[in-house]
């Protein structure tokens, strides 16, 4: 689900090599500047505030930062956690400044994000796939259309807050004097109270329901990534927007190919004769069989690169390479004639036989890919 989201470094206005201290300073300055309590009624400030919090939450965590650097928002959209909502932005701000401005929870509430596991095959992860997943989640009640009031009745204005859903108080904070708005205790911020609750949902306005959701898994995803499906989470309270669905991916291993980032590795068993004389061998790739030419004198661990046959970058679609690693197989069962032939051609002489680069050098190269 590639999304048009701004680069986190850009959001914080720091370079890609920024130290944790620099990012902390940037977050501190911007979060103060765009705090919604300082920009009342400015919707773009709210968006910025949330964006700043999300960028800082990712970049201040070394693991998440590294994944972001590698895969960008693609990795993150498969976000390493539930969606970073306004509440999370305020929580982060509070953590940073020791309490400062929690958003009151009144009015329609966004539904919860849901997380589900999804297992796909190696090939599906490389090529991308459309899957239908059965999601059971809180859904707006049909009987009362989410109001919570029994059919034929409707919710009444809350007498406690006179329908505003809020109670106000003035308090001192790090940002100066602020009006603290708290949700009304009687109606829990709804502004209305239900006197005869809907029997289908017992006044909640939501019921559990299952539905098949079609999900596009982008090409190039890997295990431990999450794919975000906007709006397919739990329905919101009081007509609020639905949360998002996150699919936590597990990719089944391939029989012979291994993945390292965008590179696919194939360990190709070759005979002593193929290694010594060279050969053109047909090897498996995710795009089907491909010929690979081994030069005469191929050593254990020698590599041949097949450009563009690796995994795609889920962000850009650019594909990595497949790397074929020669694994020279020494025969264990020889006929008498084969033994005689080998002895005649390569008589054992009690000496070491160094190869061009050295077995251990090649082995290290092969493992250190
Ligand atoms: Zn209902
Ligand atoms: Zn009230």
């Amino acid at each position: 689900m590639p999304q048009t989201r701004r680069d986190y470094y850009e959001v914080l206005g720091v370079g890609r090599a920024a130290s944790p201290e620099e990012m902390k300073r940037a977050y501190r300055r911007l979060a103060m500047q765009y705090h919604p309590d300082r920009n009342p009624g400015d919707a773009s400030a709210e968006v910025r505030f949330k964006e700043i919090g999300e960028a800082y939450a990712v970049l201040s965590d070394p693991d998440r930062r590294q994944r972001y650097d590698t895969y960008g928002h693609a990795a993150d959209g498969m976000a390493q956690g539930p969606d970073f909502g306004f509440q999370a932005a305020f929580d982060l701000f509070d953590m940073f400044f020791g309490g400062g401005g929690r958003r009151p929870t009144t009015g329609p509430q966004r539904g919860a994000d849901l997380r589900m596991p999804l297992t796909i095959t190696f090939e599906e992860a490389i090529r991308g796939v459309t899957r239908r997943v059965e999601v059971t989640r809180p859904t707006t009640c049909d009987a009362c259309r989410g109001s919570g009031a029994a059919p034929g009745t409707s919710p009444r204005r809350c007498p406690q807050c006179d329908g505003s859903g809020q109670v106000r108080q003035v308090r001192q904070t790090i940002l100066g004097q602020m009006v603290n708005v708290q949700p009304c205790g009687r109606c829990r911020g709804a502004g209305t109270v239900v006197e005869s609750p809907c029997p289908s949902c017992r006044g909640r306005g939501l019921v559990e329901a299952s539905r098949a959701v079609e999900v596009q898994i982008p090409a190039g995803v890997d295990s431990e990534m999450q794919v975000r499906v906007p709006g397919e989470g739990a329905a919101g309270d009081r007509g609020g927007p639905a949360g998002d669905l996150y699919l936590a991916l597990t990719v089944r291993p391939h029989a012979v190919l291994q993945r390292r980032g965008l590179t696919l590795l194939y360990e190709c068993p070759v005979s002593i004769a193929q290694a010594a004389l060279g050969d053109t061998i047909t090897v498996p790739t995710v795009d089907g069989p491909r010929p690979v030419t081994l030069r005469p004198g191929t050593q254990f661990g020698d590599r041949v690169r097949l450009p563009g046959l690796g995994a795609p970058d889920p962000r850009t679609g650019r594909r990595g390479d497949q790397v074929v690693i020669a694994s020279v197989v020494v025969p264990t069962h020889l006929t008498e004639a084969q033994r005689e032939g080998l002895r005649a051609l390569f008589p054992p002489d009690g000496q070491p036989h160094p190869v061009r680069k050295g077995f251990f050098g090649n082995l290290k190269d092969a493992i250190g890919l």
Side-chain angles (χ1 to χ4, degrees), residues 245-302:
L245 171 66
Y246 286 88
L247 296 169
L249 297 179
T250 300
V251 178
R252 283 206 201 93
H254 191 277
V256 291
L257 298 175
Q258 285 189 42
R259 181 166 173 180
R260 298 276 183 282
L262 301 183
T263 303
L264 298 181
L265 303 178
Y266 172 64
E267 188 183 314
C268 181
V270 300
S271 72
I272 293 178
Q274 285 174 310
L277 304 173
D279 196 5
T280 296
I281 300 176
T282 303
V283 302
T285 77
V286 286
D287 289 18
R290 288 285 188 282
V292 166
T293 301
L294 299 181
R295 58 175 184 78
T298 289
Q299 305 295 334
F300 182 95
D302 275 2

Side-chain angles (χ1 to χ4, degrees), residues 208-219:
E208 289 286 318
S210 288
R211 194 168 88 82
V213 174
E214 198 152 278
V215 183
Q216 301 273 351
I217 309 293

Side-chain angles (χ1 to χ4, degrees), residues 299 346-356 358-359:
Q299 305 295 334
F346 310 106
D349 58 5
Q351 303 294 321
H353 285 255
V355 292
R356 179 180 41 85
F359 174 85

